[in-house]
Every structure is written in structure tokens, then in C-alpha cells.
Amino acid sequence: MSLVKQIKDTFLQVFNSDPQIIAKSPGRINVIGEHTDYNNGFVLPAAIDKGVYIGLSAREDDQIELFSIDYNEKYTTDTTSLIFGKELWTNYILGVTRILSKQTDAIKGYNLVVVGDVPLGSGLSSSAALTCATSFSLGKLFNLNLSKLDIAKIGQQTEHEAVGVRCGIMDQFASVFGQDNSLIKLDCRSLEYEYIPIQLEGYEILLLNTNVKHSLASSAYNKRRESCEAAVALVKEKYDEVDSLRDVTLAQLDELVKPVNEEYYQKARFVIQENERLLKATEALKANNITTLGKLLYQAHWALSKEYEVSCEELDFLVDTVSTYPEVAGARMMGGGFGGCTINIVQKGKSKAVIEKLTDLYFNKFSLNLIPIEVSISNGTHEIY
Ligand code: ADP
Ligand code: MG
């Protein structure tokens, strides 16, 4: 049954009515440029066909009633107390509601049903899909006139305030601004962006889910961010014009960070070099030079693994193994790290063979199922009706 139909049926069962609005916000992939967004660098994501769907309608009172189809769970609070539930999914929705309520008096009671098909915690940003679907649909219902950028920023702020992940803007931006068949080259400092048609002549994208999510992910994420900020602070002591790693050169790192703290140095150098790789990858994509693109992906992976230290055994194994397959041009871990999936650039029609070769190897080594995820590049947040 389609997810839209599930929303309608569930809405009828739980709330005895039809939703006034159904909206979808997608998950995302990212070709290259990891951990660069919160350092004001570049990213190269795209929205995918899989997403989070929200059905919503206004109530006469100030109650907020939420129902998650995937968790088969209902949660009730009200607009004045906005008490979060024990399940994380309520924090995302109520976190968005709280931010909007501080900006406007227009938020009243509502009924909401949520469902999605973005695999959770696999590097496809299901949480951004959820927050962007929430703010988009609340914005429509209560006539808030939110811009696309408002929606992305509210999503990001929700992760910071309601969930405690100090993420950058990439995931939410990609979810909202995504465009069919296009990558988004986003400059996270200026928020200028460019759509790059994805052609990959003769190649296709294959995602392989490790099926692991290590629990240290969000604390390690915040720790990496702190290291980057510490490096910026050291450079800023001498070069006051510097506000983020985007403004820092490798020479400045050598001069001011390396002698003081090797850890900060290594993390900051990764970010600067990852931005350089992204710019080269963008040129390679435009020239349809898949060999060069692939090499940059491998380089990015091993830098994420050995220098930025956000990979894990399972991800490393997958990337290491496919690097011996001639039909794979390049691969790397995707997303924040410590689990989730790899993105692979595979010769057209060869994905099935790659999956067959890897599945047993992976199971024998980790006793885990390797789950391929099929995605196509699609439009960003939109109303279904
Ligand atoms: P990801 O990398 O997928 O964003 P996160 O850990 O950041 O992983 O976010 C996953 C969380 O987002 C889930 O634990 C859940 O709280 C919420 N979430 C995502 N999709 C859904 C959904 N379809 N229904 C309810 N909650 C969801
Ligand atoms: Mg997330």
C-alpha cells in the first residue's frame, strides 16, 4: 500500500477524519563533501525518492495528537506545555512546533500522522526528512509563509535544540531544495547553490547499508565539530578575519595549529582537503570523467576513516573490497559516519553482480545482512495535496 494511502487510512482510524494536508520531504544522498557543512564549506547532495510523509489537520482546541505508523504509537500533548514523549520521534515534531510557536501565535492544536520509507540511521537523513516535512506542513496549515530556507533552518535548529546534534545545514537544505535528476552544489557559507544535472554516463549509484549504527555517533559528531572550532580559534588569534575553516589555509594550520594540537590539526586539515576534493569532483562530474570522480570518492573515504576518524570496520570493509572490483569506479562512506551506508559508483547494470559478490563476504565477516538501497534522485519537499 502506498504511504499516502497509509496516511489517509490511519488518519481516518485514529482521528475519524481526512487530513487537510499531506506533504512529503525526502531523504538525501551526498556524493562528496562530508563534515564540511558545519565548517562553512561545500557539499554535493541530492534529494531521493524515499521520504517522510505527514498528514495534518487543525483542531478546535489546543491539543496536539501525533501518531507514528512506523512506531505504531500515539502521543498527546498540548500547545502550551509541549512536553516531549519518551520516543525520539516526538522530539523532532514537537521541537519544530516549539520553534514555530516562539515565532508566531498562529500555531494551534493539530492532529498529525507520520510515516516514512527512509531507512533510519543509515546516512540518508531520515531525521531531516521528518523535521522538514513537519515544518512545511505546519507552515501550510497555519499559513506561516515559510520560505524554503526557513524550513531548512528550522529543521537544523530542531536537531540542535531538541535532539542535541549540532549538525550543519546540508541534510535539510537537500531535503527542501532537491530537484529531479540534479545534484545541489551548495556553498554552506553564502548558501548560494547550483543544480548540477547528474549524468554519470554508463554508471549508476548503488547504496549499501552496513546495517550498523554505533551509539557514539552523535557525541563523536559534536566532538569533531569542537575540534574544528578549536582549530579556527587558534588561527583567529593571529588572523582575526578568519571565522570558519572555510577561511583557513593549510599554511595557517601548519603555522598555528600543528605545533599546539595534533588532533585539531588533523581534523581541520581533513575539512580543507575535503572541500578541495569536492571542487575537483564537481569538475569531473561536469566533464563526465567518472574515473576521476571515483578516485576522489576513495580518497575521501580513507581520509574520513584515517584522519577524521568517523568510519567503522564495516564501512571500511565494504569500501576496501569494492576497490578491487573493476566495475566499481569509486566508493565511500556516506553521512555522519560510524555506520550507515556506502555510496558506490558502479558500471550500469553491474550493481546486482556487486551485491551478489559482497553479501556473503559481508555476512561471513560480521554476521550482518548487507542491505542494498535503491534510490533515484527526486524533487524536494512538496505538498501531495
Ligand atoms: P538519520 O541518519 O536517518 O537521520 P537519525 O538518528 O538522525 O538518523 O534520525 C533517525 C530518527 O528520526 C529516528 O530515531 C526517529 O526518531 C526519526 N524518524 C525518522 N524517520 C521517521 C519516521 N518515518 N517516523 C517517525 N520517526 C522517524
Ligand atoms: Mg539525522
Side-chain angles (χ1 to χ4, degrees):
M1 197 183 358
S2 82
L3 296 183
V4 174
K5 174 99 170 56
Q6 283 188 43
I7 293 258
K8 285 186 190 169
D9 290 358
T10 307
F11 220 91
L12 206 55
Q13 275 167 24
V14 178
F15 301 119
N16 209 12
S17 67
D18 289 323
Q20 285 169 264
I21 289 165
I22 298 182
K24 173 190 177 183
S25 203
R28 60 109 192 86
I29 57 169
N30 184 31
V31 172
I32 196 165
E34 218 62 81
H35 291 273
T36 44
D37 62 349
Y38 56 82
N39 287 303
N40 273 350
F42 295 100
V43 290
L44 196 58
I48 56 174
D49 52 332
K50 297 186 185 338
V52 170
Y53 295 72
I54 279 186
L56 189 67
S57 59
R59 295 174 58 100
E60 301 290 317
D61 56 18
D62 66 357
Q63 288 286 101
I64 294 177
E65 299 206 2
L66 312 175
F67 188 87
S68 156
I69 295 179
D70 298 300
Y71 291 92
N72 190 27
E73 197 180 70
K74 190 170 180 208
Y75 184 74
T76 304
T77 183
D78 60 77
T79 52
T80 36
S81 59
L82 274 178
I83 294 164
F84 292 4
K86 14 178 237 313
E87 288 290 342
L88 195 54
W89 68 270
T90 64
N91 298 15
Y92 289 103
I93 298 168
L94 298 173
V96 169
T97 309
R98 188 170 63 187
I99 290 166
L100 290 173
S101 296
K102 282 184 189 159
Q103 295 174 1
T104 164
D105 293 331
I107 304 284
K108 309 284 185 229
Y110 62 82
N111 293 329
L112 180 152
V113 172
V114 57
V115 70
D117 59 0
V118 186
L120 309 184
S122 40
L124 296 176
S125 245
S126 66
S127 64
L130 174 57
T131 53
C132 294
T134 304
S135 51
F136 176 82
S137 47
L138 285 172
K140 286 273 170 200
L141 185 71
F142 295 116
N143 295 314
L144 305 182
N145 274 322
L146 300 176
S147 70
K148 285 185 171 188
L149 192 57
D150 292 334
I151 292 167
K153 286 186 168 170
I154 291 163
Q156 180 192 23
Q157 199 185 337
T158 305
E159 298 264 0
H160 292 199
E161 293 176 2
V163 189
V165 176
R166 295 181 63 216
C167 63
I169 192 75
M170 167 169 71
D171 302 345
Q172 298 77 14
F173 198 98
S175 185
V176 176
F177 286 83
Q179 183 170 290
D180 217 11
N181 284 317
S182 302
L183 300 173
I184 308 168
K185 181 188 168 201
L186 170 66
D187 178 338
C188 298
R189 179 169 62 185
S190 65
L191 296 177
E192 279 170 12
Y193 60 99
E194 176 192 354
Y195 290 113
I196 300 178
I198 181 152
Q199 22 192 5
L200 293 182
E201 251 162 63
Y203 286 83
E204 59 199 18
I205 288 175
L206 169 66
L207 303 181
L208 295 169
N209 195 350
T210 57
N211 234 348
V212 291
K213 185 175 185 193
H214 293 289
S215 55
L216 75 174
S218 58
S219 59
Y221 186 100
N222 291 343
K223 191 160 171 266
R224 294 300 175 280
R225 187 167 177 156
E226 283 161 21
S227 295
C228 293
E229 285 165 355
V232 171
L234 287 170
V235 177
K236 200 175 172 66
E237 282 174 17
K238 179 161 174 194
Y239 300 98
D240 189 48
E241 67 280 12
V242 162
D243 284 319
S244 69
L245 284 180
R246 177 67 177 283
D247 313 318
V248 173
T249 62
L250 287 176
Q252 289 170 335
L253 285 187
D254 283 330
E255 179 194 347
L256 297 162
V257 184
K258 195 173 174 27
V260 181
N261 188 308
E262 186 62 33
E263 167 80 6
Y264 301 162
Y265 173 71
Q266 200 189 39
K267 300 298 173 274
R269 189 185 56 183
F270 163 84
V271 171
I272 294 174
Q273 292 178 337
E274 180 75 351
N275 278 322
E276 289 167 1
R277 279 188 289 270
L278 183 144
L279 296 175
K280 287 185 195 154
T282 308
E283 291 316 306
L285 264 167
K286 286 179 177 169
N288 205 39
N289 186 344
I290 307 300
T291 310
T292 300
L293 175 70
K295 283 190 185 138
L296 289 161
L297 259 63
Y298 283 131
Q299 282 170 19
H301 179 79
W302 294 113
L304 282 158
S305 177
K306 306 295 177 214
E307 296 166 21
Y308 213 64
E309 298 177 292
V310 289
S311 185
C312 61
E313 247 190 301
E314 295 87 350
L315 288 165
D316 285 353
F317 175 80
L318 290 179
V319 173
D320 195 30
T321 309
V322 299
S323 70
T324 64
Y325 297 173
E327 62 272 35
V328 179
R332 66 174 194 87
M333 55 158 277
M334 194 178 74
F338 305 103
C341 62
T342 61
I343 177 168
N344 303 263
I345 312 285
V346 183
Q347 280 173 6
K348 244 199 178 76
K350 298 279 176 66
S351 285
K352 201 162 163 258
V354 169
I355 294 163
E356 274 168 15
K357 282 198 271 187
L358 271 176
T359 303
D360 285 351
L361 289 176
Y362 187 72
F363 188 82
N364 292 341
K365 192 159 169 67
F366 299 109
S367 299
L368 283 168
N369 293 319
L370 182 68
I371 313 280
I373 309 175
E374 251 181 71
V375 294
S376 56
I377 294 181
S378 302
N379 285 323
T381 318
H382 59 278
E383 192 167 346
I384 299 205
Y385 76 74

